[in-house]
Structures are given as C-alpha cells and as structure tokens.
Amino acid sequence: MSFFSAQEKAPWTMTSSFPKVDFEFLLPSVIKPSRYINHEINSFRKEPSRDTVNFCLAYPDVYEVGFSHLGLKILYYILNQHSDFMADRVYAPWPDCADLLRQHGLPLFGLESRMALSDFDVIGFTLQSELTYTNILYMLDLSGIPLYSRQRKNDAPLILAGGPNTSNPLPLSPFIDAFLIGDGEEAILEIGEVIKKNRKSSRQAKLKALQQIEGIFVPLLHDGATIRCRKIDGLQASKVYKRQLLPWTHPVHYRYVAEIMRGCSRGCRFCHAGFFYRPVREREPDEILQDMLDEIRKYGWQEAALSSLSSSDYSCIKPLLLELYRQMEPTRTTLSLPSLRVDSLDEEIIRLINALRQTGLTLAPEAGSQRLRDIINKNLRQEEIINSVKTAFSNGWTLIKLYFMIGLPQEEESDIDAMINLIHDIIAITQKKVNINITISPFVPKVFTPLQWAGMDTADNLRGKATRIKKTLQCYRFLKINYHDIASSQLECILGRGDTRVAELIRIAYEKGDIFTGWQEFFDFTIWENAARQCSLEFSDFLAARMPQAELPWDFIDIGVRKSFLQEEWKKAARGETTPDCREGECTGCGVCTMNISPHFAGEIHKKYSRRPEIITPHPQVHYFYRLFYHKTNALRFVGHLDMLRTLQTILRASELPLSYTQGFNIRPRLQFGPPLAVGLSGEREFLDFTLDERLEHGSVLIHLQRVFPAILPVVDLQFLGTDIKT
C-alpha cells in the first residue's frame, strides 16, 4: 500500500453534510493557483459532518508563510487523530484571488474540505505577528462572518485565536470570541470536547463553558479576573507533530521540523518568546532521533531542522548531532539548526554542522558594544563572537549572517561605532572571502519583557543611525545590509502594546484598504496615520516610555513570570547588570516554576551516541539510467515546473531505490526532466530521467515507484535507458 494513499485515512472518511464551494474555474486567472488546490501529501482530508466538531485552523498570511508554521501543524495533527473532531486549514488568499471570490459571490473556504468558513464550528487564528491583524478582518470579511464578536448570531462559528501574540489580546478583543493563551496541545482537545457537549446550546452558553478552560480569555464575559497562561508539562510523543505535510508549492521552509526544546532561560531582556515560553522543556534525544529518521526514510525529506529558540542550548546537542550525522549520511539529508547561540558553539559542533551540509553561520550579537549587550542581558562576549567566526571560516563556511538592533535603551553613538568596528573585525578575519549578510532592526519593546517599559526611539534617530551604518560599510561589495522598515516597526509597537482603543484603529485601517501589512509591496503607513486621526488616537501614547510602577493594560494575563521579577530586571538593565542563565547557576526567581510546570531536561544520551562516525568516501560506480512516465493532470496542472521538480525529488527519495546523487554541499538526486509544461496545462506521459547506483529488475523498480507516487500523480510507464561509469 502506498504511504500516500487514501486508504490509511479511511477511518476518518465521512459523507459531507455541507455544500462545497465551487471555485476551480477561478484558478486559471489567479497568481500561483497551486496555493489553493489542496492534495498535499499526508493531508488528512477528513470530511466534515454534523456529528464531528469541525475546526478550520487559519493562518492570516499567504500560503507559503502559513504552511511553514509548526504550531498550526501540531494542532492540525492532534485534532485529526481524534474521531470526534475534524480539522481543515485556510490561509489568507492573495488579493487577486480575493477579488475574484468577491466578484463571483463566493465565500472563503477550507483548503481540504472546500466548505465555506461560515459553516465550520470553530475558526482558530494563529497570532504570530502584529502585522497580520488586518488580515484576520480580511479573512472574516471574505467569509461573510461579522467582524465584531457581539454581532455574531448563534449559527456563526466561534472565532478563536492562539499563539504568542495572545499575551496582549486587547487590540483584537472585540473581534475574537475567545483567546487561548499559552500552549495548545492539550487545550485544543478540551475546547473540542466543550463544543461537542454544548453543540445545541446558545453561543453565550458555549462561551461560558469555554471560559472554564485554563488559559481561555473570553472578552465579552471577562470580569477582570486573572487569566493564567496554559503550559504543557513536557514534550511527550503524543504532543509531537508526525506525518508532516508535503506541499506541491514551495513554502518558505520546505523541511521536516523536529521541535527539540521549548522555552529559553537565557533571559535576553528584549525577547518576548524567551519569557512567554518559559520554562525550558526538552524532548528526549532517542525520541527525536527515531522520529526524524522514520520521517526522512518514509517521506523522503531533503532537509530536516532541529527547532527551538536556541538549539545549541539543548543539553544533548553534541551527541545528538553525532548520531544524526552517522545515521542521516546515507539518506543525503541536510540538517539545519536555525537558532544557534554563539557562546554554545565550539569547533566540534561547527565541524559537525559543516559535515551535515549547513554552510552558513548566523550570529545575533544584537548590539555592537559590551556595555549595551550587558544592558539587554545578551550574555555574549566579543571574543566569543570573534572565535566563532574564526572557527567557521577555518572550516570552510561561506556565509555569515549578523543580526543587530538599533534604538536600544541607553544607546549612544559610541555603540553604533562599536557595531561598525565589530563588522570590520569580522571582515578582517574572513579576508573578504565570505559573503556577509547584515540585518538591522529597530528595537521594538515587547510586552512581558523587562524592556516593556522602554520607549521606542524616534523615526529620525533610527533613520540617522541606519544611514550612518550603511554609508560606512557600503564600500564592501560582498556585504549586504538589510533594514527593517522603521514605520512598520513603529506600527508593530503600537499594535503590540495597545489596548482596546487600538481595535478601532485596526478596523478603520482595514476598511481603508490595509491588508498584508508585513509585505513591503502592500504596506502604506499613511493609511494608519489617517485611521489614527479618524479615531482620535495618538501613536505617541503607545510608543512612549512607561513608568515601571504603572498598571499595564495586559497585567490581567499571567504568563507565569512575575511582574516584580521583570521590574527588577528593568532596574538591572538601567545599572548595566547582567542576570545569569538559571540552567547554569541558581534560580533567578522569575516565578514560572511555581506553576506546577517544572523544567524538563533530556537525560544523558546513550553512550553509543558518543562514538565518532566514519566519513563516507565516494568511489567509482556504474550508473543505471531510467525514464519514468507519469500523468500530470487535474489539480496538478496548476503546479509550476520548479515546484513539481522539488516534490518529485522528495517522492523519489522516499522510494528506497538506490538513487545516484550529485556531489558537494547541495546534494540532489540525479534527475533530468522533460520540457516544462505551462501552468494550467495538463500533460499525459510527462517524463523524467533518474539514475540508480544498482541495476534492478524493471518490475522491482516499478513497484517501488508505484508504492510512493500519490494517486493524483500516477506512474504510467518505465524504461531502462542504459549505463555509464562515473566517479
């Protein structure tokens, strides 16, 4: 049986009781129609019914961005494992698609079921960025659902929101029926059970029942009580997302993702995630290793990632990397560690990462001077930055990414000079032989951090600092500098530290045409300025510094970290004093470990993981060439040639055939495709040539291919083309 077949989904297949939205005739007229076609490999495709609680998990950004978000995928997997629940997904349609939906009177719909969003029981939005807030109204509007919670009738779906931005839910509180604050793996099932039990009850009764769940904030019913952030106790296997989706169109991150750790104890005073996701909880290394290897072998992933806020802080990172290298090398899978701390790296880890074909080093000094790094508690010394660059350069790394902030509290001109000097020192080490990408972002004070009381620097000051950095470094052609837009960063602060008054600002901005706020081609700050004037709102009220003793609008949320601890950290920042990582010393008294959620650290990994792997040396081989014929019809005619190429590579890797691979860092199966089809055109007997390192019987090769190719992409023929000898 094919692991991509529909049979494995049979227990959840039901006859739909709801009409489907007929939208296929629009696809030839939209940009990138593959965003809307469904049929992703490993999707559940459960049919909604009157007997299931039907969820639609919504990400308020374009498909390529939303598809890459791990949190939504985790909830999608957990809900669909439950026989009483069904979960679909929806992403913000690009404006061209939205215009066509409006023109033809069609509502926004679930990607898999094609059911109108207004027919679901629950729509759950992920709040990952303040700059997606108008897209929530955009998606509700396209669905025909009233924007305001108070205007919705009993038959309207419940609008929920979760994610890190729920730590200040006030700016969206008039639009959202209920917020889930904190971890969702357990709470989402409790939400489903409450709705199932109260299916025939009024909307008011459902909200009252939801309000009893820990972590749920219902704005219409809130009486001022403290809302306690939800935390899961450890990252057990039952809470891990498996059988990960493989898309037909290339997302921002096309890789298998293993969350190895949640939370961070470093205490960087600007970092919202570092405080919101406390305490640190680690997965066991044996479990990580087994899940990752199973998924790579079964589904053919070209790249895998170890995900956390700081992957190099994982207590078993070195032995885990050693064993991953040993077992992943035969699969030719690239391993990515997207979040590394410079002071956790040593030469052995850098060599391991290099062997796993990651050639870029990402460093986040955040500030150029040690004085300013101490103020923000970025416990990172100049010599650690320099030594990491030296080690990476000596091991052949070809790209260095640097992240800095400007406009930090107590920042002086000398701090900007120190940043420039640090970059010069890095250039001297790399001898102009490495590409250097620098990202400079305005500091944005975030809620529930020690710097939440800080003011945001003025636009003129920020612009002047960025210009000086650029002019000083523009002579280096191998150096690329990226700037975050100052106006959008200010808006991020306004929406992030706002109260209920900001809701009216969001609504007016949407009605004036603001959508996809985080996209440069759509962002127009004048829309927000005009909206602010219309609702008599002063941006300075939200950008200015605040008194540490003052009551904050979001104080009714309890994320587990005591406000008194944050106030003390604010005072220590003013004095330039640092606070050590509690995993390396004494408890800092932040308070989160009193929530009956204790830090969980992976135990000592088995000694077998400490043995060094043998380096595999290529040797001359005979290559055997085959030509595969397949039909590319129906919905797949809307998948572009490059996207089809990537997916076919993944499918072939899953076949367990002895594929021949290219050499070097960017290793790929040796494939050659026939002439590309234009998007929208069907093709019968499309073909690709692939190469094996062993000669197999024709029937055996065909069986391997038919096992992994999905039904929507049928294999119709196979030919053996011949051999040659390659080194």
Side-chain angles (χ1 to χ4, degrees), residues 95-336:
D96 66 320
C97 181
D99 290 344
L100 287 170
L101 289 174
R102 289 190 179 105
Q103 181 181 332
H104 292 275
L106 298 176
L108 189 58
F109 51 88
L111 186 67
E112 298 175 22
S113 66
R114 295 191 296 151
M115 185 168 79
L117 258 61
S118 57
D119 286 336
F120 282 88
D121 297 305
V122 180
I123 300 173
F125 283 97
T126 296
L127 305 185
Q128 196 70 20
S129 166
E130 293 89 350
L131 301 185
T132 61
Y133 286 0
T134 56
N135 269 17
I136 294 173
L137 305 192
Y138 167 64
M139 295 172 75
L140 291 174
D141 201 9
L142 286 171
S143 306
I145 298 170
L147 300 185
Y148 286 95
S149 177
R150 65 178 183 272
Q151 296 173 343
R152 296 176 194 136
K153 298 181 179 178
N154 278 338
D155 59 350
L158 293 172
I159 309 302
L160 271 59
N165 281 24
T166 59
S167 55
N168 179 19
L170 295 176
L172 288 174
S173 57
F175 313 118
I176 303 297
D177 294 318
F179 293 85
L180 169 59
I181 299 164
D183 297 327
E185 287 92 335
E186 296 168 345
I188 195 67
L189 295 177
E190 295 173 21
I191 290 169
E193 292 292 348
V194 163
I195 294 173
K196 177 186 174 185
K197 184 178 179 180
N198 293 274
R199 182 183 291 279
K200 296 182 180 179
S201 302
S202 68
R203 187 178 196 82
Q204 184 87 347
K206 291 175 184 175
L207 292 175
K208 283 183 178 179
L210 285 175
Q211 197 176 28
Q212 305 309 309
I213 298 174
E214 184 183 36
I216 293 289
F217 165 54
V218 179
L220 287 178
L221 304 179
H222 188 239
D223 58 3
T226 297
I227 305 297
R228 187 179 172 91
C229 184
R230 190 70 177 259
K231 309 273 184 178
I232 59 170
D233 191 7
L235 300 178
Q236 296 92 344
S238 62
K239 302 182 179 72
V240 174
Y241 167 51
K242 299 180 181 179
R243 208 179 80 180
Q244 297 194 8
L245 293 164
L246 286 90
W248 290 103
T249 191
H250 199 267
V252 172
H253 299 300
Y254 189 10
R255 59 196 183 195
Y256 171 81
V257 180
E259 185 184 20
I260 62 174
M261 181 173 76
R262 190 173 298 180
C264 178
S265 54
R266 291 279 183 170
C268 298
R269 291 174 178 137
F270 58 85
C271 181
H272 174 262
F275 290 94
F276 182 74
Y277 288 111
R278 287 189 178 200
V280 172
R281 291 148 289 171
E282 294 186 351
R283 286 184 67 199
E284 286 296 328
D286 286 318
E287 188 182 283
I288 296 167
L289 180 72
Q290 193 58 54
D291 283 349
M292 180 173 284
L293 293 173
D294 287 349
E295 293 278 322
I296 288 170
R297 289 166 181 161
K298 191 172 183 181
Y299 301 122
W301 290 98
Q302 178 73 38
E303 181 182 349
L306 301 180
S307 173
S308 75
L309 292 176
S310 181
S311 297
S312 49
D313 284 343
Y314 179 69
S315 60
C316 296
I317 189 63
K318 195 178 295 185
L320 178 61
L321 286 175
L322 279 165
E323 188 63 13
L324 282 171
Y325 173 74
R326 188 181 73 83
Q327 297 205 41
M328 283 175 57
E329 182 62 25
T331 71
R332 273 74 164 192
T333 302
T334 300
L335 184 68
S336 173

Side-chain angles (χ1 to χ4, degrees), residues 636-649:
L636 294 192
R637 72 187 187 274
F638 295 110
V639 178
H641 180 68
L642 291 178
D643 285 334
M644 180 62 68
L645 183 152
R646 295 184 187 101
T647 307
L648 284 170
Q649 282 182 344

Side-chain angles (χ1 to χ4, degrees), residues 443-698:
F443 162 69
V444 177
K446 295 288 186 177
V447 302
F448 291 107
T449 68
L451 301 186
Q452 66 180 339
W453 293 282
M456 188 165 177
D457 204 353
T458 66
D460 287 342
N461 285 347
L462 292 168
R463 196 172 295 111
K465 294 169 185 177
T467 301
R468 186 154 76 88
I469 295 167
K470 181 177 180 179
K471 285 184 176 179
T472 306
L473 299 171
Q474 64 185 359
C475 58
Y476 298 111
R477 300 178 66 180
F478 56 87
L479 189 148
K480 181 180 179 182
I481 302 179
N482 300 307
Y483 298 97
H484 278 207
D485 183 80
I486 293 171
S488 65
S489 296
Q490 288 181 319
L491 182 60
E492 185 181 329
C493 180
I494 294 161
L495 299 179
R497 295 203 300 182
D499 51 32
T500 52
R501 293 175 295 161
V502 173
E504 193 71 0
L505 175 73
I506 294 169
R507 180 190 62 80
I508 295 172
Y510 167 65
E511 291 177 349
K512 289 181 177 293
D514 183 90
I515 55 173
F516 290 99
T517 317
W519 291 73
Q520 187 175 0
E521 59 264 48
F522 292 106
F523 182 66
D524 184 353
F525 195 50
T526 60
I527 289 178
W528 291 90
E529 291 174 321
N530 292 335
R533 282 192 289 270
Q534 187 170 329
C535 61
S536 302
L537 207 64
E538 293 291 338
F539 286 166
S540 58
D541 291 346
F542 308 100
L543 298 172
R546 303 189 180 195
M547 297 300 295
Q549 301 80 17
E551 184 177 344
L552 298 170
W554 50 88
D555 277 346
F556 71 98
I557 302 293
D558 175 14
I559 69 165
V561 178
R562 296 189 183 101
K563 187 175 182 180
S564 59
F565 172 78
L566 298 177
Q567 289 169 327
E568 183 57 33
E569 284 293 292
W570 169 251
K571 294 174 184 176
K572 291 175 75 174
R575 299 192 298 265
E577 296 179 13
T578 61
T579 299
D581 187 337
C582 64
R583 295 177 72 183
E584 299 172 356
E586 296 180 357
C587 174
T588 56
C590 76
V592 76
C593 293
T594 64
M595 298 182 72
N596 297 323
I597 304 296
S598 300
H600 291 258
F601 305 135
E604 282 298 318
I605 197 165
H606 196 281
K607 289 182 180 179
K608 70 178 181 179
Y609 289 2
S610 298
R611 70 173 183 265
R612 293 185 175 277
E614 295 181 5
I615 302 299
I616 299 173
T617 304
H619 56 277
Q621 302 176 46
V622 179
H623 290 162
Y624 301 90
F625 295 89
Y626 293 81
R627 177 163 290 175
L628 164 69
F629 294 88
Y630 58 92
H631 288 337
K632 181 175 179 278
T633 58
N634 300 317
L636 294 192
R637 72 187 187 274
F638 295 110
V639 178
H641 180 68
L642 291 178
D643 285 334
M644 180 62 68
L645 183 152
R646 295 184 187 101
T647 307
L648 284 170
Q649 282 182 344
T650 303
I651 293 172
L652 284 169
R653 284 170 51 85
S655 69
E656 299 182 348
L657 289 168
L659 295 171
S660 175
Y661 286 83
T662 60
Q663 301 299 314
F665 277 93
N666 192 24
I667 293 178
R668 294 287 186 272
R670 297 179 186 270
L671 304 179
Q672 287 188 332
F673 282 76
L677 283 172
V679 173
L681 292 183
S682 297
E684 296 188 353
R685 291 186 67 83
E686 294 299 297
F687 68 90
L688 68 88
D689 296 345
F690 63 95
T691 310
L692 301 183
D693 288 337
E694 300 175 23
R695 176 68 188 271
L696 301 179
E697 292 296 326
H698 180 278

